[in-house]
Amino acid sequence: EDAAQLARFEARVADEERIEPNDFMPAAYRRTLTRQISQHAHSEIIGMQPEGNWITRAPSLRRKAALLAKVQDECGHGLYLYAAAETLGTSREELVEQLLSGKAKYSSIFNYPTLTWADMGAIGWLVDGAAIMNQIPLCRCSYGPYARAMIRVCKEESFHQRQGYEIMLTLARGTAEQKEMAQDALNRWWWPSLMMFGPPDAASSHSDSSMRWKIKRFSNDELRQKFVDATVPQAHFIGLTLPDPDLTFDEAAGHWRYGTIDWEEFKQVIAGNGPCNRDRMATRRKAHEDGAWVREAARAFAEKRAAAKTA
Ligand code: 3HC
């Protein structure tokens, strides 16, 4: 890459111009976007499993229909994001292989078990709530295809968050046992939701370049704080208690101060030693093997059609 091209690229990003697939971009910009967008896609696809486990056990037809729609949406988000990642030059097969071989990451949050129906509420409310905080700024990402995919994703996420919060509200206002279920789910999903935003800024290896290239508009800690400030009052509104004895409101700063996050747990989970990592990957690998015949059929059909065209 020559200096003039790099300078022109930096100026375009500084001027808030969108970078498109055929534009010049530094190899490192292409690499970090391929990494982030494909891992985002992997997260959406793996994220179908924890919720998928409860579709057949939803307490009513209405709840089942909403959960089914949400899981189908997650799959669609994954496909938009693989399509966006492919515009950077790596094939979908290669991206999927990186997931199946364990080389690529997916969001830590999906390595926790969904033990009761209340977990469907906690996931919609907290996990999709956190995802919205993270994805709205990505609508203004400097890379065109990613930003456009995010605009479509964000429209559906608000429904996901609302249906989750409604489940929690219904349970919290139900019998004592239902309220206890909601409280238990909050206790188990709160801290892993805070970890979703990534390591503390001081330990974030990509933030400097991602912020300079306007991929990341806010730091991990800034978005985490926005999420806590928005979510604590929602928990109070439905009469649930946050599992953080150090949580206090800092009047002067206007922020909720929270306790220490267990980064050792986070490290273990992204190293593959979380509660469900092996199950999630085994299920994903089996789905890939079970779907091999569909890929072969599609390839044979495409070859036959191409041969007919040239005949
Ligand atoms: N889970 C797994 N890995 C994580 C992580 C998490 N929660 N947070 C950070 N990491 C990894 C990073 O990928 C990076 O490792 P890598 O170099 O192998 O990719 C390392 O930890 C250092 O973290 P950084 O902060 O330096 O990395 P980033 O600058 O990429 O920031 C991020 C991390 C904020 C997650 C950013 O990648 C991002 O915004 N990604 C897009 C959003 C996303 O992936 N969301 C996943 C949630 S799934 C979802 O939203 C579905 C919803 O519908 C429920």
Side-chain angles (χ1 to χ4, degrees), residues 92-197:
R92 180 163 318 198
E93 289 73 16
E94 166 59 24
L95 296 173
V96 170
E97 192 39 46
Q98 288 169 4
L99 170 68
L100 298 179
S101 66
K103 257 211 315 282
K105 293 185 169 71
Y106 57 89
S107 189
S108 49
I109 193 72
F110 297 123
N111 290 307
Y112 291 84
T114 45
L115 303 177
T116 74
W117 170 255
D119 288 35
M120 295 305 104
I123 286 179
W125 172 37
L126 300 174
V127 174
D128 287 72
I132 288 170
M133 286 293 170
N134 164 283
Q135 290 171 163
I136 286 178
L138 284 170
C139 296
R140 292 188 294 117
C141 165
S142 57
Y143 187 57
Y146 195 23
R148 290 189 290 272
M150 279 296 100
I151 290 166
R152 285 189 65 177
V153 165
C154 286
K155 286 196 173 69
E156 291 164 346
E157 290 291 13
S158 45
F159 143 66
H160 297 177
Q161 202 264 1
R162 259 206 320 280
Q163 64 87 40
Y165 189 59
E166 198 215 15
I167 291 175
M168 293 301 269
L169 183 137
T170 308
L171 291 171
R173 292 186 174 163
T175 64
E177 206 182 352
Q178 286 173 321
K179 179 162 187 175
E180 176 38 43
M181 262 175 77
Q183 183 61 61
D184 164 58
L186 175 55
N187 294 345
R188 286 184 286 107
W189 288 93
W190 175 250
W191 292 104
S193 298
L194 298 194
M195 295 177 203
M196 261 177 88
F197 291 93

Side-chain angles (χ1 to χ4, degrees), residues 8-9 11-20 23 29 141-144 213-214 217:
R8 234 188 339 274
F9 172 80
R12 292 191 66 206
V13 170
D15 288 348
E16 295 291 339
E17 279 186 43
R18 277 279 157 82
I19 306 300
E20 295 300 335
D23 294 347
Y29 178 84
C141 165
S142 57
Y143 187 57
W213 284 329
K214 298 190 179 172
R217 294 284 185 167

Side-chain angles (χ1 to χ4, degrees), residues 27-48:
Y29 178 84
R30 183 185 303 278
R31 218 177 12 258
T32 204
L33 272 168
T34 303
R35 169 192 65 86
Q36 175 164 335
I37 303 172
S38 60
Q39 291 184 159
H40 196 162
H42 299 331
S43 304
E44 300 280 5
I45 299 299
I46 299 287
M48 294 168 71

Side-chain angles (χ1 to χ4, degrees), residues 4-5 22 36 56 77 91 94 110 124 129 174 183 222 229 234 237 257:
Q5 275 183 319
N22 297 327
Q36 175 164 335
T56 56
H77 296 173
S91 75
E94 166 59 24
F110 297 123
Q183 183 61 61
E222 280 171 331
D229 289 344
Q234 292 173 338
F237 179 73
R257 298 296 176 218

